[in-house]
Amino acid sequence: MQTRREALLALLRGEKAEFIPEVYSTMKDVVFPGDRFIDLENFDPYGTGADAWGVLWTNQGPNPIVDGNTVAKNYKMFDDMDEWKDHVKFPPIDYMPMADIFGGMCAGMHVNPEEDVVSYLILSGTFERMNQLIGMENALCAFYEFPDEVHEFFDAMCEYKLKCIDYAVKYLHPDCIHMHDDWGTNNNMFFSPDLWREFIKPCEEKYTQRIHEHGCLYIHHSCGYIKQIIPDLIEIGVDVLEPLMVENDVDDVMKKYGDQITIMGGLNNRIIDSPEATEEDIRAEVRRGMDAHCGQGRYIPYYIPAVEKN
């Protein structure tokens, strides 16, 4: 009989598993330092503070894992990407005590590499960091107003993220690198697929190559509708796409691509997180997703929780 770790790793790799383990208790996501405001000693569930970049974040509730945090209301570090070199200071990770930081995180999360799938979670992806610095409207306009500067910033971000990957592998020895970069709304991408291919895909290709060179799996997180670029993600070698939301027509995605990339998702978060949802409703939605997709290919039922009791 496979262990939970063995079964989940098999599913992530696209291999057969003897059962489907529950992801949140099996995969430990150790967060890369600096991308969020974290003050555990004086934790204020609705407090505001700066991350390692100087961006201000506001906590959204008492449970950081479920409630999370968001960029503080109306915050912008600057307005236009032609100013980025005057304002952006990359975190000095070369001078951080990485071994101590990672060791402390693993101890606090009770990470056991023999039983857990160890994942390194690198938040605030290439596009996300840009919109966190200057706001979503300015970030979307920047592709058209300052394309050269956006390319320069993304190139610099890519080099920084590659260094983050190297440090994670050196000090944590993870099974997976789990990188975030949201690219879509509920019904479309933030930008055209062609624009994504020009500005973002080259970075993603480099991330994938570096992660695979280290012998790790690449899990990419992107909420929203991103169906148009799934063939591109397969082409560059992304191993797992998470949390593919129901707006992406998961049944069609599984039929077309279910043997080429592992899909973590396919559960309707709006049903599960509804204040009116009963346990029966939630169980029915999980069962629906499993019955619909588990036989179609590389599939793991999953969603991002937002209501702790549900």
Side-chain angles (χ1 to χ4, degrees):
M1 180 74 174
Q2 289 176 320
T3 64
R4 291 181 303 132
R5 169 183 162 81
E6 290 169 343
L8 184 54
L9 281 174
L11 290 169
L12 294 171
R13 294 178 182 133
E15 301 165 357
K16 288 187 177 182
E18 296 174 2
F19 67 101
I20 299 176
E22 197 282 311
V23 175
Y24 279 101
S25 59
T26 306
M27 186 165 70
K28 298 291 180 66
D29 272 325
V30 182
V31 180
F32 198 89
D35 283 334
R36 292 289 188 275
F37 163 59
I38 299 175
D39 183 4
L40 297 179
E41 291 185 7
N42 304 291
F43 182 69
D44 180 346
Y46 300 99
T48 294
D51 64 16
W53 300 72
V55 173
L56 295 181
W57 294 80
T58 299
N59 296 327
Q60 300 296 293
N63 186 338
I65 295 175
V66 177
D67 301 315
N69 50 24
T70 187
V71 175
K73 187 176 181 180
N74 299 324
Y75 174 84
K76 292 184 182 68
M77 182 177 287
F78 55 101
D79 289 317
D80 294 318
M81 286 307 292
D82 61 344
E83 308 170 52
W84 80 267
K85 291 181 181 177
D86 297 326
H87 296 276
V88 176
K89 302 292 188 293
F90 286 80
I93 57 175
D94 290 331
Y95 302 97
M96 293 181 182
M98 286 296 184
D100 294 337
I101 292 172
F102 294 167
M105 287 182 175
C106 289
M109 296 176 65
H110 307 290
V111 175
N112 183 347
E114 294 184 2
E115 296 181 0
D116 304 319
V117 173
V118 181
S119 165
Y120 216 81
L121 179 58
I122 302 178
L123 299 167
S124 296
T126 310
F127 172 69
E128 285 179 340
R129 182 51 69 180
M130 181 168 73
N131 69 57
Q132 290 160 8
L133 290 165
I134 64 175
M136 180 63 81
E137 296 87 350
N138 288 346
L140 293 174
C141 291
F143 289 113
Y144 300 96
E145 295 177 329
F146 307 105
D148 293 340
E149 289 81 359
V150 172
H151 274 299
E152 290 175 352
F153 175 71
F154 282 6
D155 288 344
M157 275 294 298
C158 184
E159 290 305 310
Y160 172 77
K161 293 290 185 182
L162 292 173
K163 187 179 291 187
C164 293
I165 292 167
D166 292 341
Y167 273 117
V169 170
K170 180 177 180 179
Y171 291 105
L172 184 67
H173 312 296
D175 302 293
C176 312
I177 304 292
H178 190 177
M179 299 183 73
H180 273 222
D181 208 15
D182 284 341
W183 298 322
T185 69
N186 273 342
N187 55 19
N188 214 329
M189 294 183 67
F190 293 135
F191 25 68
S192 73
D194 285 342
L195 193 149
W196 178 88
R197 292 179 183 116
E198 177 186 349
F199 287 89
I200 298 175
K201 184 177 178 178
C203 299
E204 288 297 317
E205 192 163 11
K206 291 178 182 177
Y207 301 151
T208 309
Q209 181 178 349
R210 183 66 59 86
I211 290 167
H212 287 169
E213 286 173 355
H214 285 304
C216 299
L217 295 167
Y218 180 13
I219 302 174
H220 183 84
H221 164 97
S222 186
C223 289
Y225 186 89
I226 58 168
K227 185 179 178 182
Q228 306 102 307
I229 60 169
I230 291 177
D232 297 89
L233 297 172
I234 292 169
E235 174 198 328
I236 64 177
V238 173
D239 299 289
V240 184
L241 183 56
E242 172 271 310
L244 196 70
M245 304 175 88
V246 295
E247 289 78 12
N248 288 277
D249 190 354
V250 181
D251 188 62
D252 187 57
V253 169
M254 292 301 303
K255 288 176 181 176
K256 291 178 178 177
Y257 313 116
D259 61 342
Q260 302 173 69
I261 190 169
T262 297
I263 299 299
M264 290 175 63
L267 303 181
N268 193 328
N269 59 299
R270 282 184 268 186
I271 291 176
I272 297 176
D273 285 335
S274 169
E276 291 79 32
T278 65
E279 182 175 338
E280 185 178 61
D281 296 331
I282 295 169
R283 288 183 178 276
E285 173 54 22
V286 175
R287 177 61 62 186
R288 179 207 60 77
M290 294 179 72
D291 287 347
H293 309 308
C294 281
Q296 289 186 304
R298 299 170 57 175
Y299 177 72
I300 303 172
Y302 184 82
Y303 92 115
I304 303 294
V307 179
E308 187 168 7
K309 68 180 180 65
N310 292 16

